[in-house]
Amino acid sequence: MKAFSLLSICVVVVLATSHIDAFTRDDFPDDFLFGAATSAYQWEGAVDEDGRTPSVWDTFSAFDNIGNGDIACDGYHKYKEDVKLMAEMGLEAFRFSISWTRLIPNGRGPINPKGLLFYRNLIKELLTHGIKPHVTLYHYDLPQALEDEYGGWINREIIEDFTAFADVCFREFGEDVKLWTTVNEANIFAIGAYSEGILPPGHCSTNKFVNCSTGNSSTEPYIAGHNILLAHASVSNLYRLKYKSKQRGLVGLAMYAYGLFPYTNSKEDKIATQRAKDFFFGWMLKPLVFGDYPDVMKRVVGTRLPVFSEEESEQVKGSSDFIGIIHYTTLYITKSKPAPSILPSNREFFTDMGVETISIAKKFIPWGFEGVLEYLKQSYNNPPIYILENGLATKHDSTLQDTPRVEYIQGYIGAMLNAIRNGSDTRGYFYWSMIDLYELLDGYKLSFGLYYVNFSDADLKRSPKLSASWYSGFLSGIVDLDPQDITHLHNHSSGSSSL
């Protein structure tokens, strides 16, 4: 019997309550997937066990002062427990990534039998519980050996090695995995890792905020982005030629998508907003859909922006069966104000984009999410979309009664439903994250999880939050419950909410 079965029984009373914006799981198509997500380095731990070797994230975390993923949630040893929690919650799918260095320790060459067995066992456990696996091939964890050998994503050699890694994954797991994402949030990866230096491997031109040991912020993000697109296209082409007819899966690329809206109704702010969309969205999406970079990027970035050959353009165009969208927040855009600089020739992604971004104090902006889906529908031929990450961070060790997260999930799922009803071809939603993780920018200070993880406990005990109860109720076909109704039920089904 499910741990949340009491929820399913008690909320029958709530069904009698009318809400103007009420919706249930049944309002979505039967084949729509609702799940939750993690990534290898943030979840697995066991970084030096059973043949795994260091990735660039291991190296990067040694210097960023926010902890590391050496143990993380210990998913490597506790995956059966976590899959059981997913099943109890009613998850239909689970997104995870494969650690390149756990499967192929040297980045290329021999497969690690113990790494192979772990992922086979994880996938089998998911399928046994009726949960569909969605696999990400690259989530910030390039083998350190390849970074040391040739510089990783800023060298075209990465295309061959990444394709070979994907070939192993398709061959070994493709009979059971039907959804593949090649590279996680490709645009933000290229910017954060090769322009800003805040993501692994941490390349940038040293500035007053970040002291990078290597990098060139004016060229490397564009080189890395170009190689990401070519590597993705190579992997997609491999799958279509060698595996698709038998395995019948889909291969897509993921990108980070801010909601972007003009700060005022002025013509200048509207132009600036479109320019921001061309840089953030069009950089990856225009080649994938139309075969080349946006004109504004070619004009502004000039010779620093790599050029697709005719053959490469044809290979990249149409290479994504779906677009993976990662969305958390919305920004206002206004025309950039010229500012004096001691390095006027120092060009990087954000100076090239040439707009000013204004953060919105509210974290709850579902209309921004709906706007993203509407824009992609109108501007990029309404591609199939999976929402691969969406969630709300709260301070870790705060409370199990995470009412703001319940309201966030409810609001954003509702916004997504509005977009679908308006014609968006959105096919799945993965909440980030299934449990509290080692977070990319915040370590263990902030958490997104539906389940709380006590990182001070040797057993890393998991405890359901209020949001897990709500998500379970929603997936059971219940209307969007008032958080107070869930809180009352959660107190009776989960014990004390105090941490």
Side-chain angles (χ1 to χ4, degrees):
M1 191 175 192
K2 284 186 176 182
F4 295 114
S5 58
L6 177 61
L7 177 68
S8 300
I9 296 170
C10 292
V11 293
V12 172
V13 178
V14 183
L15 284 169
T17 304
S18 175
H19 296 281
I20 294 174
D21 59 348
F23 58 88
T24 73
R25 171 66 180 87
D26 294 336
D27 287 305
F28 292 82
D30 291 340
D31 58 354
F32 191 96
L33 286 179
F34 279 99
T38 63
S39 84
Y41 186 73
Q42 296 172 275
W43 175 60
E44 290 178 7
V47 296
D48 56 0
E49 290 186 41
D50 293 342
R52 182 190 180 277
T53 60
S55 72
V56 293
W57 203 343
D58 294 87
T59 305
F60 185 80
S61 66
F63 300 99
D64 64 5
N65 300 316
I66 60 169
N68 57 57
D70 288 2
I71 300 174
C73 308
D74 198 24
Y76 186 73
H77 298 108
K78 298 172 76 69
Y79 72 92
K80 288 187 177 182
E81 175 185 341
D82 286 345
V83 172
K84 184 180 178 182
L85 296 178
M86 298 176 210
E88 290 173 348
M89 192 165 30
L91 289 192
E92 300 160 3
F94 178 56
R95 177 186 176 229
F96 64 96
S97 69
I98 291 177
S99 167
W100 191 338
T101 60
R102 194 179 297 284
L103 187 62
I104 306 175
N106 295 322
R108 69 170 77 90
I111 297 172
N112 174 19
K114 292 184 178 179
L116 179 63
L117 180 62
F118 168 70
Y119 291 112
R120 280 180 175 169
N121 287 341
L122 171 59
I123 292 168
K124 179 181 178 181
E125 194 73 14
L126 290 167
L127 294 174
T128 298
H129 287 83
I131 300 169
K132 296 181 179 179
H134 183 135
V135 171
T136 300
L137 293 171
Y138 185 83
H139 198 116
Y140 291 111
D141 50 358
L142 179 78
Q144 185 63 47
L146 301 185
E147 175 75 10
D148 294 339
E149 180 182 338
Y150 56 73
W153 287 99
I154 56 173
N155 191 308
R156 290 176 71 102
E157 288 188 44
I158 190 66
I159 300 169
E160 181 178 351
D161 285 335
F162 185 60
T163 304
F165 165 57
D167 195 8
V168 172
C169 294
F170 294 152
R171 184 182 72 233
E172 299 295 340
F173 313 123
E175 288 298 315
D176 295 320
V177 176
K178 305 306 175 186
L179 289 170
W180 299 90
T181 295
T182 51
V183 178
N184 182 65
E185 53 188 15
N187 51 349
I188 289 296
F189 165 46
I191 298 165
Y194 294 97
S195 179
E196 303 301 301
I198 59 173
L199 304 176
H203 290 206
C204 71
S205 300
T206 296
N207 56 59
K208 62 181 179 180
F209 301 107
V210 184
N211 183 18
C212 296
S213 61
T214 186
N216 184 331
S217 297
S218 69
T219 59
E220 286 192 2
Y222 301 112
I223 295 170
H226 196 72
N227 290 336
I228 288 168
L229 286 166
L230 294 176
H232 160 79
S234 175
V235 167
S236 177
N237 186 55
L238 167 76
Y239 188 82
R240 291 174 180 180
L241 290 176
K242 192 173 179 180
Y243 297 101
K244 191 174 181 68
S245 62
K246 183 178 180 182
Q247 297 180 0
R248 301 192 177 280
L250 301 175
V251 176
L253 181 73
M255 55 170 281
Y256 193 102
Y258 288 108
L260 300 171
F261 293 87
Y263 186 56
T264 71
N265 287 324
S266 70
K267 180 180 178 181
E268 290 80 8
D269 282 1
K270 290 178 180 178
I271 292 172
T273 301
Q274 184 55 53
R275 181 176 171 124
K277 288 178 178 179
D278 285 337
F279 269 76
F280 272 123
F281 296 114
W283 183 19
M284 297 293 160
L285 283 182
K286 196 164 184 199
L288 289 175
V289 177
F290 301 111
D292 201 3
Y293 294 117
D295 289 340
V296 65
M297 290 192 73
K298 291 193 286 186
R299 184 175 69 252
V300 172
V301 182
T303 58
R304 292 178 291 121
L305 185 67
V307 177
F308 292 110
S309 69
E310 186 175 341
E311 180 182 358
E312 289 169 343
S313 175
E314 287 300 313
Q315 188 174 21
V316 171
K317 181 180 178 181
S319 60
S320 261
D321 297 320
F322 65 88
I323 302 299
I325 291 298
I326 292 164
H327 173 85
Y328 290 95
T329 193
T330 291
L331 301 172
Y332 283 130
I333 302 296
T334 188
K335 181 181 178 182
S336 182
K337 299 176 181 178
S341 173
I342 59 173
L343 295 172
S345 63
N346 184 25
R347 306 294 300 182
E348 46 86 28
F349 182 85
F350 289 104
T351 56
D352 287 336
M353 187 167 64
V355 305
E356 185 177 346
T357 60
I358 301 173
S359 297
I360 303 175
K362 289 177 62 178
K363 295 181 179 179
F364 181 76
I365 316 170
W367 52 265
F369 181 37
E370 185 177 346
V372 168
L373 298 178
E374 181 65 22
Y375 177 74
L376 296 179
K377 180 189 76 175
Q378 293 183 1
S379 301
Y380 292 98
N381 296 341
N382 198 17
I385 287 172
Y386 285 88
I387 309 304
L388 297 184
E389 291 182 28
N390 174 244
L392 179 68
T394 55
K395 185 178 179 182
H396 193 255
D397 286 333
S398 53
T399 177
L400 296 178
Q401 306 293 344
D402 57 343
T403 303
R405 182 170 288 113
V406 171
E407 295 172 343
Y408 181 99
I409 301 171
Q410 179 176 343
Y412 279 71
I413 290 178
M416 177 176 64
L417 179 59
N418 288 341
I420 292 171
R421 286 171 170 168
N422 287 327
S424 172
D425 190 10
T426 302
R427 302 181 180 185
Y429 175 91
F430 292 79
Y431 177 77
W432 183 274
S433 55
M434 188 267 159
I435 62 174
D436 292 346
L437 304 170
Y438 168 73
E439 284 299 332
L440 179 62
L441 296 177
D442 298 295
Y444 298 100
K445 296 177 182 178
L446 298 178
S447 298
F448 291 80
L450 299 169
Y451 274 80
Y452 168 77
V453 177
N454 186 348
F455 293 110
S456 299
D457 175 34
D459 196 43
L460 297 169
K461 183 181 178 182
R462 281 83 156 127
S463 302
K465 300 179 188 178
L466 179 64
S467 52
S469 299
W470 185 90
Y471 204 31
S472 177
F474 169 73
L475 294 175
S476 299
I478 309 305
V479 298
D480 55 340
L481 303 175
D482 186 282
Q484 291 182 351
D485 297 318
I486 292 278
T487 300
H488 176 75
L489 179 61
H490 191 266
N491 287 338
H492 286 83
S493 63
S494 304
S496 172
S497 65
S498 173
L499 296 179

Short mmCIF file of all heavy atoms in Angstrom, two decimals, residues 104 109 225 282 398 432 477 482 496:
data_model
loop_
_atom_site.label_atom_id
_atom_site.label_comp_id
_atom_site.label_asym_id
_atom_site.label_seq_id
_atom_site.Cartn_x
_atom_site.Cartn_y
_atom_site.Cartn_z
N ILE A 104 32.94 4.74 -18.06
CA ILE A 104 34.17 4.62 -18.85
C ILE A 104 35.23 5.47 -18.14
O ILE A 104 35.39 6.67 -18.43
CB ILE A 104 33.97 5.10 -20.29
CG1 ILE A 104 32.80 4.37 -20.95
CG2 ILE A 104 35.24 4.87 -21.12
CD1 ILE A 104 32.45 4.87 -22.34
N GLY A 109 37.71 4.08 -24.15
CA GLY A 109 38.32 2.77 -23.92
C GLY A 109 37.43 1.83 -23.13
O GLY A 109 36.21 1.84 -23.28
N GLY A 225 29.94 26.22 -27.05
CA GLY A 225 28.57 26.09 -27.52
C GLY A 225 28.50 25.46 -28.89
O GLY A 225 27.61 24.63 -29.17
N GLY A 282 17.98 31.67 -28.96
CA GLY A 282 18.34 31.46 -30.36
C GLY A 282 19.71 30.86 -30.58
O GLY A 282 19.95 30.18 -31.57
N SER A 398 15.18 23.63 7.22
CA SER A 398 14.20 24.62 7.66
C SER A 398 12.94 23.92 8.18
O SER A 398 12.69 23.88 9.38
CB SER A 398 13.86 25.60 6.54
OG SER A 398 13.48 24.93 5.35
N TRP A 432 12.48 19.42 -10.16
CA TRP A 432 13.83 19.39 -9.59
C TRP A 432 13.73 19.87 -8.14
O TRP A 432 13.35 20.99 -7.89
CB TRP A 432 14.78 20.31 -10.36
CG TRP A 432 16.18 20.22 -9.82
CD1 TRP A 432 16.71 20.93 -8.78
CD2 TRP A 432 17.24 19.37 -10.29
NE1 TRP A 432 18.02 20.57 -8.56
CE2 TRP A 432 18.37 19.61 -9.48
CE3 TRP A 432 17.33 18.42 -11.31
CZ2 TRP A 432 19.58 18.95 -9.66
CZ3 TRP A 432 18.52 17.76 -11.49
CH2 TRP A 432 19.64 18.02 -10.68
N GLY A 477 -4.55 11.84 -9.31
CA GLY A 477 -5.73 12.32 -9.99
C GLY A 477 -6.59 13.24 -9.17
O GLY A 477 -7.77 13.44 -9.46
N ASP A 482 -5.73 22.81 -1.53
CA ASP A 482 -5.27 23.96 -0.76
C ASP A 482 -4.15 23.51 0.16
O ASP A 482 -4.26 22.46 0.80
CB ASP A 482 -6.43 24.51 0.07
CG ASP A 482 -6.04 25.80 0.78
OD1 ASP A 482 -5.33 25.70 1.81
OD2 ASP A 482 -6.43 26.86 0.31
N SER A 496 5.95 14.47 13.09
CA SER A 496 6.30 15.87 13.33
C SER A 496 6.97 16.49 12.13
O SER A 496 7.70 15.84 11.40
CB SER A 496 7.25 15.96 14.52
OG SER A 496 7.75 17.26 14.66
#
